[in-house]
Amino acid sequence: MTALAHPNIALIKYWGDRDSNLHIPLNGSISMNLGGLFTRAQVSLNPNPQRDELRLNGVTANPDDYRRVSAFLDHIRELSGRKVYFTINSHNNFPTSAGIASSASAFAALALAATKVCDLDLTEPELTRLARMGSGSACRSIPAGYVEWIAGYNHATSFARSIAPPEHWDLTDCIALISQEPKSTSSTQGHALASSSPLQAARLQTAEQRLQTCRQAILDRDFNALAQVVELDSNLMHSVMITSTPPLLYWQPPTLAVMHAIQNWRLDGFQVCYTIDAGPNVHVLCPTQQATEIATRLRNIPGVIQVLTARPGGATRIIENE
Ligand code: PMV
C-alpha cells in the first residue's frame, strides 16, 4: 500500500503544546499544502512478527527516528487490535536537509498507508487525529488545499479540516533555501520552550483574531489581508522564540535580507509576503502570476542557495493499492 502526502506551510503558526504527548496545541493554526512536494510511504505487513522495519530515503532509519515512528505505529496496532509489525519505505521528493518540515508529510502518508494495510477505514477527521500524534502539523497535511487545525482541548476535539480546496486560490509558495544544515533545535524541543517566553501569553491571547482574519482572507481571496496577518503571525512566533529560555534564533543574515527585499518589492507593487518556520529558510507567498518574477528575484539574493516553488496541494491519498 502506498500513500502520498504533501508537506504544508503554516500561515498561522502552531507553537506550544497543551499536551505534548498527544500534540494538543495551545492555539489553532492554518496552512496550505505544498503541491508538487511530497512524501511517498510504501507500507506492508512485516513477516517478522517482532519488529518494524523502516527505511527513510533508501537508508535504514537511525535509532531516534525508528523509536519515534515505532511509537506512532503503536497507536495503529492499538486501533487495529492486532499485534502486527510493518515494513516501511518512505521517500521525499524534496531535499530532506532543506529544512522543509518533512515530518508533516511523512506522518500523514504513513498514517493513511498503515491504517489501510490493517484494513482500518478511518474518516478524514479520525485520520487527522492519528497523524497529529506523529507530528502535530502532520494533521494539516491530511485534508486538501487550505486547512485549519482546530486546537481543541483533548484527543477528540483536536483535528484538522479543509477550509478551501486547492483550486480555490492559485497562490505559489516560493521557498528560499538558505541553509542545508540540520537545525540545532527541533520543533519538538521548541514547543516545550514556548511558555518560557513572556510574549507567549500575548501571542496566544490574540491568536483567535488572527485565525479569523486569515480564514476570511482565504475565503475572500484577499491577498493584502492575508499578507498582513501571515507576516504578523510569523513575526509573533519568532518573537516568542527569540525571547524564550534558552533563546531560539533561527534566522541567518540571508533570512533577513529576504525579509527586507520583500518589503521593497511590495513598494514596487508586487503582492508578496513572507513566513518562516523553525529554521532559516523563507517561504515567500504570492499570486501564481507573479511567481516566476519573484523566484528569479529571490535567486539573485546572496545567500539564497535554491528556490523551490509549490502551488496548493491536494489531500493525502493512496496511490498504489498493492
Ligand atoms: O509539527 P511540528 O512539531 O514539527 O511543529 C511545527 C512548528 C512550525 O512549523 C514552526 C509551525 C507550524 O505550525 O507548522
Side-chain angles (χ1 to χ4, degrees):
M1 194 72 67
T2 305
L4 180 148
H6 301 294
N8 65 75
I9 178 63
L11 305 174
I12 300 294
K13 309 291 188 188
Y14 150 50
W15 197 245
D17 285 311
R18 177 189 292 269
D19 179 326
S20 56
N21 286 323
L22 297 175
H23 303 148
I24 311 295
L26 283 164
N27 65 279
S29 52
I30 294 180
S31 59
M32 179 182 103
N33 282 347
L34 300 177
L37 310 182
F38 57 80
T39 298
R40 220 171 158 272
Q42 189 185 25
V43 180
S44 57
L45 290 179
N46 186 354
N48 170 355
Q50 297 304 330
R51 220 184 125 70
D52 299 306
E53 266 169 48
L54 174 63
R55 290 172 78 79
L56 299 175
N57 293 314
V59 180
T60 301
N62 67 44
D64 283 350
D65 288 341
Y66 180 86
R67 263 192 298 276
R68 184 167 175 193
V69 169
S70 241
F72 174 70
L73 294 169
D74 286 343
H75 296 298
I76 297 174
R77 285 186 263 275
E78 199 179 309
L79 278 175
S80 75
R82 290 159 62 194
K83 203 125 186 68
V84 287
Y85 288 86
F86 301 92
T87 301
I88 298 156
N89 270 298
S90 188
H91 275 273
N92 297 330
N93 81 332
F94 52 94
T96 302
S97 58
I100 301 166
S102 58
S103 63
S105 50
F107 280 107
L110 181 57
L112 179 60
T115 50
K116 288 284 184 197
V117 160
C118 293
D119 292 324
L120 288 168
D121 218 357
L122 301 192
T123 62
E124 186 178 271
E126 284 169 342
L127 208 53
T128 72
R129 291 185 190 98
L130 174 63
R132 190 198 72 230
M133 292 194 283
S135 166
S137 57
C139 71
R140 296 190 311 239
S141 283
I142 298 280
Y146 297 87
V147 176
E148 177 162 8
W149 175 8
I150 313 295
Y153 50 87
N154 60 15
H155 183 62
T157 54
S158 188
F159 66 98
R161 64 174 178 215
S162 182
I163 302 176
E167 55 281 7
H168 169 74
W169 197 9
D170 195 3
L171 296 183
T172 293
D173 181 5
C174 302
I175 309 163
L177 303 182
I178 279 161
S179 164
Q180 314 254 16
E181 300 282 306
K183 54 190 175 202
S184 47
T185 308
S186 69
S187 42
T188 310
Q189 295 163 310
H191 292 299
L193 299 179
S195 61
S196 69
S197 163
L199 303 185
Q200 171 76 337
R203 178 185 160 273
L204 293 173
Q205 220 169 43
T206 50
E208 194 50 50
Q209 218 173 295
R210 288 189 300 283
L211 284 165
Q212 191 170 338
T213 305
C214 183
R215 216 181 284 132
Q216 201 57 48
I218 291 169
L219 292 176
D220 296 345
R221 300 187 193 88
D222 181 344
F223 191 86
N224 294 341
L226 185 81
Q228 213 177 352
V229 75
V230 162
E231 284 191 5
L232 171 62
D233 193 81
S234 174
N235 291 341
L236 281 166
M237 180 181 74
H238 285 272
S239 304
V240 167
M241 290 165 161
I242 294 167
T243 52
S244 64
T245 308
L248 299 175
L249 179 56
Y250 287 110
W251 301 348
Q252 295 293 333
T255 311
L256 211 54
V258 172
M259 292 159 83
H260 280 288
I262 286 165
Q263 286 190 342
N264 292 333
W265 299 343
R266 265 205 296 268
L267 295 178
D268 294 343
F270 284 98
Q271 288 192 304
V272 62
C273 70
Y274 65 78
T275 184
I276 303 164
D277 278 345
N281 302 325
V282 189
H283 291 255
V284 180
L285 295 163
C286 63
T288 291
Q289 313 86 279
Q290 297 177 16
T292 311
E293 173 67 20
I294 296 292
T296 306
R297 287 177 173 227
L298 286 169
R299 288 188 185 100
N300 287 331
I301 297 179
V304 172
I305 298 167
Q306 199 187 338
V307 178
L308 303 175
T309 59
R311 290 163 69 186
T316 297
R317 53 205 180 265
I318 294 293
I319 53 169
E320 272 168 41
N321 242 322
E322 288 296 296

